[in-house]
Amino acid sequence: MSDVVEKTLTALPSLLSLDSQPGSAKLSSTSKLGNLIRGITELTSKHEEEKLIQCELSSIKEQVSSPNTTMMKELMVRTIYCEMLGYEASFSYIHAIKLAQQGSVLEKRVGYLAVSLFLNESHELLLLLVNTVLKDLQSTNLIEVCMALTVVSQMFPKDMIPAILPLVEEKLNHPKEIIRRKAVLALYKFYLIAPNQVQHIHNKFRKALCDKDPGVMTASLHIYLQMIQENPEGYKDLTASFVTILKQVVGGKLPMDFNYHSVPAPWLQIQLLRILSLLGKNDQSTSEIMHEVLDESLRRAEMNHNITYAILYECVKCVYTIHPKSELLEKAAKCIGNFVLSPKINLKYLGLKALTYVVQQDPKLALQHQMTIIECLDHPDLIIKRETLELLFRITNAQNVTVIVEKMLEFLRISKDDHTTIDLVGKVAELAEKYPSNHYTYAPDNEWFIETMNTVFSVGGDMMQPDIPNSFLKLLSEGFDSVEEDRKLRLFAVNSYISLLRGEPGKLPQRFLQVISWVLGEYSHLRADLEPALVLRLLAKLLDMKNCSSETKSWVLTAMTKLCEGGSGVSVAQQVSETYGSSLDTVLRQRAQELQHLSQDSELRARVLPRGAGLDRSLTYCHNLVQVDSSLSFLDGFVSEALAAGAAPYKPPHQRQEELAGTKALSLEPYGLSLPISMSSCITDRQSPTLLSMSSGLSATLKLDGVKRVWGREGYLSQKEPVEEPAQVEVPSPLRSPSQQGEADSFHSQTPSLTPTPESDQEKQQLASSLFVGLGSQSSVCLMGKSEPTTQRFRRKAKGHSTASSTSEQVSNSVISPPSTVDNLLCNNLLDSNITSELAVSSPQLTSRLSQGLAATNGTCDTDTELPESDRKESKPAVIRDSYVVAADPAPHEDPDRPKDLALSSHLPAELSELSHSEITHLCTNQNLELSVCHVQKEDSLLLIVFISNSSDSAVQQILVCLFSGVLFGEEAFTCWCDVVGIVSLLISRVCCRPLTVSTEEYGTMWLAFSHDTKQNLTLISDGQEPLTATLNVLKRRLQLHVVEIIGMEGIVACRLLQDQPCLMHCRVHAGTLAVWLRSPIPDLPDCLIYHCQRALQGH
Amino acid sequence: MMRFLLLFSRQGKLRLQKWFTPIPEREKKKIIREMTTMVLARQPRSCNFLHWKDLKIIYKRYASLYFCLAIENHENELLALEVIHRYVELLDKYFGNVCELDIIFNFEKAYFILDEFLLGGEIQETSKQIVNRCIESSDMLQEYYCEGETDFPGTWRKL
């Protein structure tokens, strides 16, 4: 058939010899349209054409508006032609509508056609059509109804749908199937543009699905596909019906009319397969219903025709989408083979696409076709090449990443299409960051990473997604786990950029220049032999370039500010800042000013822009490396002066609003005199945005912790295993030969025609082995053994509070200021916000550990320490490693009548009995011995006291206590401690907290000095007393806080940790709750304390 | 879903355009220009598919005429190719040995056939017989009308 068409079309002479065609009886060559068309083809220039059309249009315009035109239809056709040539004829739009409205049936047809070609659904003139459509929908003439339904399905103003919806709905019951079909399609269109408006007729869709005419049923599937896509759960009950329909179609039960090249209703089949794959996805029982029919479809579709391949492709996709069945998967895999190995290029393309779809589940399929893939990679057709790269992207692992990225970059260099470039550049960057360096293969390393990113930046240019340079810089500044590696990486980047700048920087895209200047600004000092002045000069050169954007210039100036030191450096800086100091661009001007000032004052510069802070300057490091006074205390003088002069204290907008909403009336209570001005000024909020975001970040992570970490930087983490696991697990299955490489070899030798020369043969072989490494059976071992830890290793070091599982060494390394181990724990591990979740667990854990250890002691008496009947074990948390056992005086006798607690507490050594101790907790017992524990808070330490008492009647002569260092306080246990943050938090709250006795004045000054703060509303307790006092008393009692002063509805409270780290709390009764505000010099102490306040009040 | 169908000659002259989603005029012109240059630049023995933005372009040349269909990314390329082919078959059946000139001079007929075949970017009727009967009855109506009769539901009923 198509041959006939092609022959006929080719046989015809070109357009120019149109006159008196013998075979073209149908050509209306004598009509005006014919004349116009012929006239145009005879013209030689665009200009002439334009003139002719304008002339034509004005004549049409004239005729169209004359009242008694009989040629309306003909005129409209000519107008359509002119519009198609690209000339606007908007004057005719209204006439098209008029024609559809008033003309005879035939004129209507042209009128409707013209309307559908001229107007968009948003065109205002379309409103004029609504009435015509309404009228035609009600017509008794079927043709008119059909035309109306057609135009409605093509374009209809969204707002006017309700007007015609009842009529269209009614047509679903029309006796003529063609009307029903068109009505269903019109409703489909409505569903797409305004789903809410057809919600009420969903059951009518079901009726259409059961229509006796297969055409109407097919039309309804469009709606179902759409609805099932949005909500597969809602339509599971229809699965069996869809399967039955597909069975009938595949079995050839439909009328011949529906056949296409003797394949039964292929469009319908494909539609059904799509619906089934949506329904069967992740649903085993639903999938089982369709296994049989899928098998049948795969079997039936054997004819060698495009349309059967189209069905097969959809079948394969469906089989791989639904719950897997090995038999079907095997057949589908074979089908993919037919596609990939086909000499027809279209089938090959689709085969690659199918492979790309399935390799995620079954990577070894790619291995089977590796030689074909290699060939496609070198295919002259870029589309095939592009599709192959897509496939390779999906099978990338740590071992083949270099080769694959190289292939991608190769493609990027020849690709002209922007869309492809953006997409591919993103993918390369993703791969490069995922596998930035690798110790298991030799090639990829720092140099590879930097060079790859260089290409990405130069090729991707200013088109690429802005997050690519951002995340690159972030990666560079955060580094990986090894300090030395980081240094090398940065050094290499510096070297590479210096040489780029020495070359032709004018050719580099702006984004790349920005990256270069940032990196040089931060890290060029790593290269000792590099004179800063030299870098400065290179950077200054960038500023003089014509195509350098002002954004880039400001990056360059910032970089220069970081580098300007030494005599010649300063002079370069001065020169530049002079040039740009008068720039009209305010940003540039500011940068130039900064450069000028900071280049003159190196001390200031070191403070403002310290080295090595990188991107972290604003985050974690700001507390350690850079002392940022986020409370803006340097403004205090100014503020108190202003306050003294009568200015109102500053309140942030949210607080002002809160107050307005809360009381809406003036507070008539006197405030009192006690708070000094400086303090009242500080009580108003002066939180910096950084801190605000930090504390909000903390509260956000609270919920995330403890949740399994599924999403990592490189995406879905656990997905990695399922993807790679089959490669390993399925290898021993008898389906595949044990050595995939061998199989590939044999496959390769079987098809020598595919590879012309032995040299290229070898080349391809090499390429194949480098591309498909890590997918096969031999390599699958190292895949699991090596690449996994690799990714682990290069997972970016999480910063600050997100180090959930970091070891204690790491934590304490990164901290400089806090003086003791406990504080280390507090400052770092408490940043970890799973305090809440783990506290409940950990304290019983502690107890049980203790009891286990001591229970074991009972049985095995293998230490040399001889202890009397009752003993105490004391240990200091600050020096936990040196836990020691003290033998106390043997207690003479136990009095069974005395209450146990009292009895035991009386054994406390004299120096401790004065101090408060916790409740004595009974741990465990056997017939002879009883274990109890309590802790005593000393000024400088925490003592854990273990009581071992004799519960038998007989006197115990001697008892051997074996202290398993590993169990509780030994080195091992110590690490446990660091992990189980809850214990530490337990310690500070109940144990390490000490009242801090300060005066109100001292409080005021301290408040100003502390930068870490947090705010929260707490519940008030009112048991008869004044609520504020009652609440504070509870807190005082439970948490050992010191209430400094209470004035009216406000109170100030202070406490400190063991090591003298203070925390201040300001409380205010507001709208039935206690608004507290905590400040401390230790980052997370306020958060921690507030948590315990909550607990204490809840427990009350 | 199909987005648009363009028919253009080897010289890049547009012969027919059908847009299934609303697109501004200016954009349409740009797309037509891009499509013609992209498709005409294809080497022989390349595949019939192209990537363009987030769409896929399926094109096929019949003699001097290119058929170019844009589909959404998840659609089946081979099926789209068959959509084009079926349209050519429908034109062929209607015109009898269709050629480019038939489409140039009777482009409104080509549109009518297309509207019976595709509706709103989806396949409406794939049967050659049914589509053809539809169009032919309308044409007879036309001839009838020329002879002076206006009401002609009879032929339609034969469908």
Side-chain angles (χ1 to χ4, degrees):
Chain A
M1 158 68 233
S2 69
D3 295 344
V4 179
V5 180
E6 267 170 82
K7 263 181 222 153
T8 343
L9 285 170
T10 348
L12 277 159
S14 79
L15 276 175
L16 290 167
S17 52
L18 275 177
D19 295 306
S20 61
Q21 291 273 330
S24 58
K26 283 199 209 81
L27 304 186
S28 42
S29 45
T30 51
S31 70
K32 285 194 172 162
L33 174 70
N35 287 334
L36 172 67
I37 294 169
R38 220 163 320 114
I40 291 169
T41 51
E42 278 157 13
L43 298 175
T44 47
S45 75
K46 183 83 188 159
H47 180 68
E48 283 175 330
E49 181 189 294
E50 210 165 289
K51 243 167 66 184
L52 184 74
I53 301 281
Q54 290 309 340
C55 180
E56 180 78 16
L57 281 176
S58 54
S59 109
I60 293 175
K61 196 173 183 176
E62 209 170 283
Q63 292 179 55
V64 113
S65 31
S66 76
N68 44 4
T69 313
T70 49
M71 304 281 291
M72 206 52 190
K73 189 159 64 84
E74 209 271 327
L75 285 171
M76 203 45 73
V77 171
R78 264 154 65 199
T79 322
I80 296 174
Y81 191 81
C82 292
E83 279 251 324
M84 183 159 70
L85 290 178
Y87 299 90
E88 206 203 74
S90 49
F91 68 88
S92 64
Y93 297 171
I94 187 72
H95 296 287
I97 288 178
K98 250 180 10 203
L99 194 62
Q101 205 164 21
Q102 295 158 355
S104 67
V105 180
L106 287 161
E107 285 176 331
K108 234 181 213 320
R109 195 184 178 201
V110 175
Y112 272 131
L113 176 68
V115 168
S116 73
L117 290 173
F118 291 159
L119 305 181
N120 257 342
E121 42 190 38
S122 51
H123 202 285
E124 49 189 0
L125 279 181
L126 217 51
L127 287 177
L128 298 175
L129 197 71
V130 175
N131 225 3
T132 318
V133 169
L134 268 176
K135 206 181 82 206
D136 285 341
L137 280 176
Q138 287 163 301
S139 162
T140 51
N141 188 337
L142 294 184
I143 293 181
E144 287 182 340
V145 179
C146 273
M147 287 192 296
L149 284 173
T150 305
V151 84
V152 156
S153 333
Q154 291 185 19
M155 29 103 72
F156 200 73
K158 196 173 160 185
D159 315 331
M160 298 313 285
I161 289 175
I164 57 158
L165 189 60
L167 283 173
V168 176
E169 248 181 278
E170 199 179 273
K171 295 287 177 279
L172 288 174
N173 299 319
H174 201 276
K176 273 283 169 212
E177 60 270 8
I178 187 172
I179 304 284
R180 294 204 299 276
R181 194 180 67 205
K182 282 184 193 275
V184 169
L185 282 170
L187 289 177
Y188 166 63
K189 181 76 182 184
F190 293 168
Y191 181 81
L192 287 183
I193 56 177
N196 295 334
Q197 302 191 344
V198 289
Q199 229 162 20
H200 61 289
I201 41 177
H202 279 199
N203 56 336
K204 292 198 175 160
F205 294 154
R206 287 207 181 214
K207 224 181 125 208
L209 184 65
C210 305
D211 198 284
K212 61 179 187 294
D213 181 68
V216 182
M217 184 267 292
T218 312
S220 77
L221 290 183
H222 295 307
I223 304 180
Y224 275 102
L225 182 63
Q226 198 65 35
M227 293 195 299
I228 291 171
Q229 230 157 32
E230 284 153 22
N231 171 28
E233 291 310 313
Y235 300 91
K236 297 266 177 182
D237 58 317
L238 287 174
T239 314
S241 317
F242 292 129
V243 167
T244 320
I245 299 172
L246 185 56
K247 254 184 206 157
Q248 289 176 356
V249 176
V250 174
K253 300 272 165 39
L254 287 191
M256 290 293 280
D257 264 353
F258 289 90
N259 282 10
Y260 175 82
H261 294 254
S262 55
V263 175
W267 279 276
L268 175 55
Q269 282 195 46
I270 284 174
Q271 197 80 345
L272 284 168
L273 286 169
R274 278 194 195 140
I275 289 179
L276 288 183
S277 63
L278 287 174
L279 287 171
K281 195 174 183 182
N282 302 325
D283 185 339
Q284 185 170 0
S285 57
T286 311
S287 298
E288 273 161 8
I289 308 175
M290 51 188 88
H291 282 152
E292 193 194 328
V293 76
L294 288 176
D295 194 43
E296 173 98 1
S297 298
L298 281 173
R299 200 159 46 80
R300 291 258 184 177
E302 273 168 348
M303 219 180 57
N304 192 12
H305 188 281
N306 265 348
I307 197 75
T308 51
Y309 282 112
I311 297 173
L312 272 181
Y313 172 73
E314 217 63 49
C315 254
V316 168
K317 264 178 86 173
C318 183
V319 166
Y320 272 93
T321 311
I322 64 170
H323 188 85
K325 188 188 179 199
S326 59
E327 212 180 300
L328 277 177
L329 289 178
E330 211 177 298
K331 283 183 186 169
K334 233 171 91 189
C335 271
I336 296 179
N338 289 344
F339 277 99
V340 176
L341 296 176
S342 164
K344 288 186 183 168
I345 189 156
N346 285 346
L347 294 187
K348 207 166 258 213
Y349 170 88
L350 227 59
L352 287 172
K353 250 185 78 169
L355 265 183
T356 312
Y357 189 78
V358 303
V359 281
Q360 292 164 79
Q361 290 177 46
D362 193 357
K364 62 185 188 310
L365 264 176
L367 208 64
Q368 264 177 24
H369 300 293
Q370 47 178 327
M371 285 327 284
T372 321
I373 294 173
I374 301 277
E375 266 158 42
C376 291
L377 204 52
D378 285 333
H379 202 281
D381 187 352
L382 284 187
I383 301 291
I384 298 283
K385 219 170 174 166
R386 173 81 183 80
E387 211 55 45
T388 317
L389 289 177
E390 196 67 41
L391 170 62
L392 291 179
F393 174 70
R394 299 288 171 96
I395 59 165
T396 311
N397 57 38
Q399 293 165 71
N400 60 14
V401 62
T402 342
V403 193
I404 290 179
V405 163
E406 190 193 311
K407 289 283 163 195
M408 289 174 130
L409 292 177
E410 221 170 76
F411 185 88
L412 270 174
R413 288 188 194 105
I414 50 170
S415 162
K416 298 273 180 295
D417 178 42
D418 289 357
H419 204 260
T420 313
T421 307
I422 294 171
D423 184 55
L424 218 50
V425 155
K427 284 188 168 132
V428 172
E430 191 185 326
L431 290 180
E433 285 177 18
K434 201 160 149 191
Y435 308 101
S437 60
N438 192 327
H439 289 242
Y440 300 100
T441 58
Y442 301 99
D445 50 18
N446 293 336
E447 293 168 37
W448 174 80
F449 176 57
I450 297 293
E451 269 162 14
T452 303
M453 289 313 285
N454 282 356
T455 322
V456 164
F457 290 136
S458 14
V459 175
D462 300 320
M463 268 186 302
M464 68 185 158
Q465 301 289 338
D467 61 318
I468 297 176
N470 289 351
S471 61
F472 171 73
L473 293 184
K474 201 155 166 244
L475 197 120
L476 210 59
S477 89
E478 276 168 24
F480 305 107
D481 290 345
S482 145
V483 178
E484 184 50 30
E485 283 296 308
D486 291 347
R487 205 188 67 82
K488 276 189 195 157
L489 181 71
R490 290 166 189 160
L491 187 60
F492 189 82
V494 168
N495 285 338
S496 156
Y497 295 159
I498 290 287
S499 60
L500 275 174
L501 288 190
R502 278 184 175 143
E504 278 188 273
K507 284 183 177 163
L508 301 175
Q510 301 298 308
R511 288 258 182 75
F512 194 14
L513 290 178
Q514 291 164 11
V515 167
I516 290 177
S517 23
W518 189 86
V519 172
L520 289 182
E522 283 299 323
Y523 299 117
S524 63
H525 65 88
L526 290 176
R527 208 175 121 180
D529 59 327
L530 199 63
E531 277 285 311
L534 179 93
V535 184
L536 278 176
R537 256 176 245 121
L538 283 173
L539 288 171
K541 222 167 73 189
L542 293 180
L543 293 171
D544 299 332
M545 282 176 352
K546 269 200 195 88
N547 56 355
C548 187
S549 74
S550 63
E551 195 194 347
T552 309
K553 280 181 185 162
S554 88
W555 281 73
V556 172
L557 284 174
T558 313
M560 293 178 84
T561 316
K562 290 174 197 161
L563 292 172
C564 51
E565 61 185 34
S568 53
V570 170
S571 72
V572 176
Q574 289 300 330
Q575 209 178 334
V576 168
S577 59
E578 256 167 52
T579 319
Y580 288 93
S582 54
S583 166
L584 286 179
D585 187 321
T586 49
V587 178
L588 280 186
R589 204 166 177 162
Q590 178 174 352
R591 297 277 168 263
Q593 291 292 338
E594 284 167 9
L595 176 61
Q596 187 174 18
H597 286 293
L598 293 178
S599 65
Q600 282 163 348
D601 187 344
S602 63
E603 205 175 291
L604 182 63
R605 190 169 52 84
R607 276 172 61 203
V608 175
L609 300 162
R611 223 158 239 182
L615 284 182
D616 290 320
R617 190 172 285 129
S618 58
L619 297 168
T620 325
Y621 283 78
C622 70
H623 307 304
N624 304 324
L625 292 182
V626 189
Q627 285 301 322
V628 174
D629 184 0
S630 54
S631 67
L632 305 179
S633 58
F634 54 89
L635 282 176
D636 284 338
F638 174 76
V639 172
S640 36
E641 241 171 68
L643 285 174
Y650 174 75
K651 281 174 186 164
H654 68 87
Q655 200 185 335
R656 268 175 276 171
Q657 228 147 32
E658 203 175 81
E659 279 169 15
L660 270 176
T663 51
K664 286 213 170 157
L666 284 172
S667 167
L668 298 175
E669 271 173 284
Y671 191 78
L673 301 164
S674 59
L675 287 179
I677 288 172
S678 61
M679 189 186 156
S680 65
S681 74
C682 73
I683 285 189
T684 58
D685 188 4
R686 275 196 273 106
Q687 212 167 18
S688 80
T690 339
L691 267 171
L692 207 65
S693 64
M694 239 185 68
S695 53
S696 67
L698 270 169
S699 58
T701 43
L702 247 174
K703 290 183 198 107
L704 292 177
D705 261 298
V707 176
K708 213 174 106 197
R709 215 181 134 187
V710 198
W711 293 97
R713 297 209 73 128
E714 52 277 64
Y716 189 59
L717 290 179
S718 62
Q719 207 180 27
K720 273 195 105 57
E721 280 92 27
V723 171
E724 283 164 1
E725 220 138 38
Q728 191 200 25
V729 173
E730 287 177 26
V731 164
S733 84
L735 283 174
R736 313 268 165 243
S737 62
S739 159
Q740 294 288 347
Q741 196 59 48
E743 186 186 291
D745 288 350
S746 65
F747 164 74
H748 176 64
S749 57
Q750 275 161 18
T751 53
S753 59
L754 293 175
T755 47
T757 59
E759 293 97 79
S760 73
D761 183 87
Q762 207 171 6
E763 239 168 63
K764 285 184 178 175
Q765 200 69 54
Q766 256 173 4
L767 183 58
S769 57
S770 50
L771 273 178
F772 298 97
V773 61
L775 290 171
S777 52
Q778 309 103 311
S779 43
S780 67
V781 180
C782 39
L783 196 81
M784 297 310 289
K786 287 178 180 174
S787 73
E788 260 320 283
T790 314
T791 37
Q792 196 68 40
R793 183 177 174 273
F794 289 104
R795 192 164 294 161
R796 278 179 219 170
K797 196 156 58 185
K799 281 187 299 175
H801 55 273
S802 58
T803 32
S805 57
S806 59
T807 59
S808 59
E809 293 101 272
Q810 220 182 352
V811 166
S812 38
N813 278 349
S814 66
V815 171
I816 298 156
S817 56
S820 78
T821 329
V822 173
D823 283 341
N824 274 358
L825 289 169
L826 292 174
C827 300
N828 298 286
N829 287 19
L830 290 180
L831 282 164
D832 202 352
S833 30
N834 51 8
I835 302 161
T836 32
S837 57
E838 282 197 24
L839 181 70
V841 188
S842 56
S843 76
Q845 249 175 11
L846 166 67
T847 333
S848 71
R849 261 196 208 132
L850 203 57
S851 65
Q852 271 168 16
L854 291 170
T857 320
N858 277 344
T860 56
C861 304
D862 51 357
T863 56
D864 303 330
T865 328
E866 287 189 17
L867 286 176
E869 191 181 328
S870 176
D871 79 83
R872 284 156 208 105
K873 186 170 67 178
E874 304 175 3
S875 52
K876 299 181 180 182
V879 278
I880 278 164
R881 275 165 223 254
D882 317 317
S883 64
Y884 52 94
V885 176
V886 188
D889 302 329
H893 194 65
E894 284 265 308
D895 186 350
D897 293 328
R898 277 158 67 186
K900 275 252 166 72
D901 193 0
L902 213 60
L904 288 172
S905 58
S906 68
H907 290 293
L908 284 169
E911 74 266 24
L912 295 181
S913 55
E914 298 292 310
L915 298 164
S916 70
H917 64 85
S918 74
E919 226 170 87
I920 297 173
T921 320
H922 185 68
L923 287 179
C924 64
T925 181
N926 69 1
Q927 62 269 43
N928 295 319
L929 290 176
E930 247 182 70
L931 283 189
S932 306
V933 70
C934 79
H935 58 253
V936 172
Q937 298 154 2
K938 278 180 74 171
E939 192 62 17
D940 58 343
S941 64
L942 162 76
L943 300 184
L944 194 62
I945 297 161
V946 180
F947 300 89
I948 304 173
S949 48
N950 180 3
S951 59
S952 70
D953 296 336
S954 56
V956 175
Q957 292 310 313
Q958 67 176 39
I959 181 168
L960 281 176
V961 171
C962 168
L963 191 64
F964 285 81
S965 64
V967 175
L968 184 60
F969 292 132
E971 197 152 342
E972 191 187 321
F974 184 71
T975 337
C976 288
W977 268 53
C978 305
D979 286 345
V980 187
V981 187
I983 296 181
V984 183
S985 98
L986 180 85
L987 287 179
I988 52 144
S989 69
R990 306 280 298 276
V991 183
C992 303
C993 239
R994 299 284 181 274
L996 174 66
T997 329
V998 288
S999 69
T1000 311
E1001 285 73 27
E1002 280 165 347
Y1003 184 100
T1005 36
M1006 282 166 86
W1007 181 272
L1008 279 179
F1010 302 160
S1011 53
H1012 301 280
D1013 65 349
T1014 191
K1015 289 180 179 181
Q1016 183 100 36
N1017 283 347
L1018 297 177
T1019 41
L1020 274 173
I1021 290 171
S1022 52
D1023 39 3
Q1025 306 178 49
E1026 202 272 313
L1028 180 64
T1029 324
T1031 315
L1032 291 185
N1033 280 342
V1034 169
L1035 291 179
K1036 182 182 172 184
R1037 200 169 61 241
R1038 310 271 305 228
L1039 300 175
Q1040 304 209 34
L1041 308 176
H1042 170 67
V1043 181
V1044 181
E1045 193 164 16
I1046 298 179
I1047 309 154
M1049 302 305 274
E1050 287 185 68
I1052 47 177
V1053 177
C1055 72
R1056 64 183 169 90
L1057 285 181
L1058 279 184
Q1059 305 296 331
D1060 229 23
Q1061 297 292 355
C1063 183
L1064 304 179
M1065 179 157 98
H1066 172 257
C1067 317
R1068 189 166 60 95
V1069 178
H1070 174 71
T1073 56
L1074 185 68
V1076 294
W1077 186 7
L1078 288 99
R1079 276 197 174 189
S1080 166
I1082 302 181
D1084 285 273
L1085 188 57
D1087 281 311
C1088 189
L1089 196 64
I1090 204 127
Y1091 165 73
H1092 288 288
C1093 288
Q1094 275 171 340
R1095 298 254 310 186
L1097 293 175
Q1098 263 167 23
H1100 183 77
Chain B
M1 195 178 151
M2 291 166 250
R3 293 294 189 82
F4 56 83
L5 174 70
L6 301 177
L7 268 66
F8 49 85
S9 70
R10 224 163 39 178
Q11 290 78 33
K13 285 250 185 246
L14 190 65
R15 296 299 177 212
L16 192 129
Q17 54 172 337
K18 188 82 189 173
W19 307 88
F20 298 112
T21 46
I23 294 170
E25 284 306 317
R26 185 193 293 255
E27 184 74 5
K28 281 185 189 172
K29 281 185 184 158
K30 212 176 130 215
I31 293 175
I32 294 169
R33 222 175 22 246
E34 272 181 55
M35 286 305 121
T36 46
T37 40
M38 264 172 78
V39 169
L40 292 175
R42 293 285 286 168
Q43 298 296 313
R45 260 183 265 283
S46 301
C47 65
N48 292 62
F49 317 126
L50 282 171
H51 298 255
W52 180 77
K53 297 203 173 156
D54 58 337
L55 297 182
K56 276 186 305 211
I57 310 300
I58 315 303
Y59 71 93
K60 185 149 189 194
R61 179 178 157 185
Y62 288 89
S64 56
L65 203 59
Y66 282 91
F67 289 70
C68 168
L69 181 64
I71 56 172
E72 280 166 8
N73 212 5
H74 57 88
E75 297 274 327
N76 189 322
E77 289 93 338
L78 279 181
L79 196 67
L81 216 47
E82 296 312 297
V83 168
I84 294 177
H85 189 70
R86 170 79 354 154
Y87 183 46
V88 174
E89 285 180 346
L90 289 169
L91 292 172
D92 190 62
K93 182 146 178 128
Y94 178 77
F95 289 108
N97 285 347
V98 68
C99 66
E100 191 184 340
L101 297 180
D102 289 319
I103 295 166
I104 298 171
F105 285 98
N106 299 287
F107 66 87
E108 83 276 16
K109 295 281 171 49
Y111 275 120
F112 292 142
I113 296 172
L114 187 63
D115 282 347
E116 280 309 311
F117 174 48
L118 306 175
L119 192 54
E122 301 286 355
I123 290 282
Q124 183 193 186
E125 178 57 71
T126 55
S127 160
K128 261 197 278 192
Q129 283 76 16
I130 294 179
V131 172
N132 221 53
R133 255 185 278 160
C134 268
I135 303 295
E136 270 171 9
S137 64
S138 300
D139 285 347
M140 280 169 72
L141 187 78
Q142 188 163 20
E143 282 155 33
Y144 235 83
Y145 171 69
C146 296
E147 286 162 27
E149 273 194 43
T150 45
D151 188 39
F152 192 70
T155 318
W156 186 255
R157 272 197 210 111
K158 268 195 281 175
L159 281 177

